[in-house]
Amino acid sequence: AVSPIIQSLSNCFREPKSQIEMGSDSGGEESNHIILVWEVKKDRLASMLQKISCTPRLLSKTAGHSDCCIFRVPQSLIDTNGGAYQPHIVSIGPFHHGKPHLQMIEEHKWRFLGALLNRTQTKLGLGLDDYLKAIQPLEMKAREFYSETVTEILVLDGCFIIELFRKIGKLVPFDPDDPLISMSWVYSFLLRDFIRLENQIPFFILQRLFDLTAIPGEESDQSFTKLALEFFNYATQRPDDVIKKYSKYQGRHLLDLLRSSFIPPAEHEEPKPGNPPPPHVIHCISKLRRAGINLKPSKEDSFLVVSVGKYWRKTHSCSCSGISEKYINILLINFNNYMK
C-alpha cells in the first residue's frame, strides 16, 4: 500500500520523465543508467504560492495589535457557553452580518436609516453620500479594531444604533406602534446583543455619525455617551447622578463604555512605572458567608468598590435584570487586556 504522505507528495508532481545516461561499470564496460526526473505541476505550484501570499483571515495579524479590542471569541468558550457571546436578533459589525436568523432586525435597520436621512436631509441638507464620505476615511483606523470591515456595514449599523438611542431617549419622535420599541421582548434582546463582544463597532464611528446627524439646538445638551448609558440603565438601574458622572467617558465600543462606567474613577489612572496595581480578588458571597463574613449594602457607585471591616464587608448592590451576560463579555475584555 502507498503511504498517504507519499501519495500526497506525488500529487504535487507530474509523472516522472525517464532520461538515459551513458556511463561505464566497474569493469570498464559501457552501461546505461535510467534517471527519473520529477517536474513540479504548475497549477499546484501556483496554488501553494497563492496560499503563501494570502493574509490570514480567521486570526488576522491585527489581532495582536494593541488597539484590537473587537475579536472573535475562542471556539472553546463558544462550545461551553456560546449563547453568551453571539447575537440572537441583531448583528452589529461584520462578524455576524448576513446570518439568516438575524434578518428580522436587518430589515428594520434600513427603515431607521431612512428615518434618519429624512430628518437630516430636511434640516441639515445631508444625504446618504455624506454619511459614507464621513466614515470612509475612518475605515482604515477601524481595521485596527478588527480586520473584517466595510463602510456600508459601519454606516448602516452605526446609524441604527444612534437612531434607536435617540428614540428610546425621546430626543426624536417615534411611532408608538414601532415594534422595536413597543414590544418589550425585542428591546430586551437588543440590549443583550449590544453588549456582546463579537457584536461591536468602534466607538469613534458611532460618535462621528452622532455628531454628523445632530440637529443644532435640539440635542445640544445631550452627549452620545450619556445617551448610551441611559439606554443600558433600563437594565442596570443606576441613579441619574452616576450616569451623569460618566457622561464624558469614551470607550473603545459600547461594551467597553459600559465596562468603564463600573470601574471606580481612581482605577482609571495609569499605574506608575514599576508599581503595578495589586490584583483584585472578589470571592463569591456564599464563600464569604461560610467564612463568617456578613455583607452590608454600600452607597458607592460601583460593585467593585468594597470596604472591609473586622467581620463585615460593604459592597454596592447591583441589578442585572436582563443583562447578566454583560459580566461574561466584560470579563473577556479584561482577560484580553491582561494578556496584552
Side-chain angles (χ1 to χ4, degrees):
V2 180
S3 166
I5 298 177
I6 299 299
Q7 182 64 45
S8 177
L9 288 173
S10 66
N11 291 336
C12 298
F13 300 94
R14 293 177 178 173
E15 290 299 321
K17 293 183 178 180
S18 299
Q19 292 185 359
I20 300 177
E21 183 180 85
M22 302 298 293
S24 58
D25 57 18
S26 57
E29 296 181 1
E30 291 186 356
S31 63
N32 297 331
H33 301 278
I34 297 177
I35 301 175
L36 300 180
V37 180
W38 292 84
E39 291 185 7
V40 179
K41 293 180 179 179
K42 290 184 178 180
D43 57 341
R44 183 55 61 94
L45 181 61
S47 175
M48 293 178 70
L49 291 173
Q50 182 182 9
K51 291 178 180 179
I52 291 173
S53 62
C54 284
T55 302
R57 295 183 300 107
L58 298 181
L59 184 63
S60 66
K61 291 177 65 177
T62 58
H65 196 281
S66 59
D67 288 335
C68 182
C69 57
I70 305 172
F71 52 91
R72 291 189 182 276
V73 176
Q75 187 62 41
S76 58
L77 295 180
I78 293 177
D79 292 340
T80 303
N81 192 9
Y85 307 109
Q86 298 179 340
H88 292 178
I89 66 170
V90 60
S91 69
I92 300 297
F95 287 162
H96 298 278
H97 180 77
K99 290 187 175 180
H101 71 287
L102 304 176
Q103 293 307 301
M104 180 182 70
I105 301 299
E106 196 71 20
E107 298 174 353
H108 287 277
K109 288 182 185 178
W110 292 101
R111 180 171 64 86
F112 272 53
L113 178 59
L116 181 60
L117 277 171
N118 289 336
R119 192 168 67 251
T120 58
Q121 281 178 333
T122 302
K123 299 185 178 183
L124 299 175
L126 294 176
L128 182 58
D129 57 330
D130 296 301
Y131 292 8
L132 294 171
K133 289 176 183 178
I135 297 304
Q136 183 64 50
L138 302 177
E139 184 173 357
M140 289 307 296
K141 183 179 178 182
R143 287 185 183 276
E144 296 180 359
F145 282 60
Y146 42 39
S147 59
E148 307 168 37
T149 176
V150 293
T151 303
E152 179 183 310
I153 294 177
L154 296 176
V155 170
L156 178 62
D157 293 355
C159 288
F160 171 70
I161 289 174
I162 63 175
E163 186 71 354
L164 179 65
F165 284 7
R166 281 177 170 139
K167 289 179 182 292
I168 294 294
K170 300 179 181 179
L171 294 185
V172 297
F174 63 89
D175 184 352
D177 295 326
D178 190 324
L180 267 62
I181 297 175
S182 62
M183 301 177 69
S184 59
W185 71 267
V186 174
Y187 167 78
S188 178
F189 275 95
L190 287 175
L191 189 146
R192 289 187 179 99
D193 282 355
F194 283 172
I195 58 171
R196 301 188 195 278
L197 183 56
E198 290 189 352
N199 218 34
Q200 304 292 321
I201 58 177
F203 192 87
F204 63 82
I205 295 289
L206 296 171
Q207 187 66 58
R208 180 72 181 94
L209 289 170
F210 181 80
D211 294 340
L212 180 69
T213 58
I215 309 297
E218 295 185 10
E219 306 173 22
S220 56
D221 60 340
Q222 187 72 285
S223 70
F224 176 71
T225 297
K226 186 171 183 288
L227 205 61
L229 291 177
E230 287 177 346
F231 176 84
F232 292 118
N233 205 44
Y234 284 95
T236 56
Q237 310 257 323
R238 293 186 288 178
D240 292 341
D241 59 324
V242 175
I243 302 301
K244 184 177 180 180
K245 180 186 296 186
Y246 294 97
S247 62
K248 301 298 182 182
Y249 277 60
Q250 288 197 355
R252 293 183 170 188
H253 41 70
L254 289 178
L255 176 61
D256 187 52
L257 171 67
L258 190 62
R259 164 188 169 272
S260 298
S261 71
F262 279 98
I263 298 177
E267 297 192 22
H268 280 282
E269 300 176 1
E270 292 292 330
K272 297 180 180 179
N275 186 27
H280 291 270
V281 179
I282 302 178
H283 297 288
C284 64
I285 292 177
S286 58
K287 187 174 182 179
L288 292 174
R289 285 176 174 167
R290 285 198 301 269
I293 298 175
N294 296 318
L295 299 179
K296 298 179 180 180
S298 169
K299 295 182 179 180
E300 298 291 343
D301 301 337
S302 172
F303 63 89
L304 295 177
V305 179
V306 179
S307 56
V308 183
K310 190 173 182 180
Y311 298 107
W312 53 265
R313 285 190 176 191
K314 281 188 177 181
T315 183
H316 173 74
S317 60
C318 61
S319 170
C320 55
S321 172
I323 201 170
S324 58
E325 292 165 348
K326 165 191 70 176
Y327 299 104
I328 297 178
N329 286 269
I330 285 178
L331 286 173
L332 196 55
I333 292 182
N334 288 337
F335 177 75
N336 183 63
N337 292 340
Y338 171 77
M339 292 302 291
K340 287 185 176 182

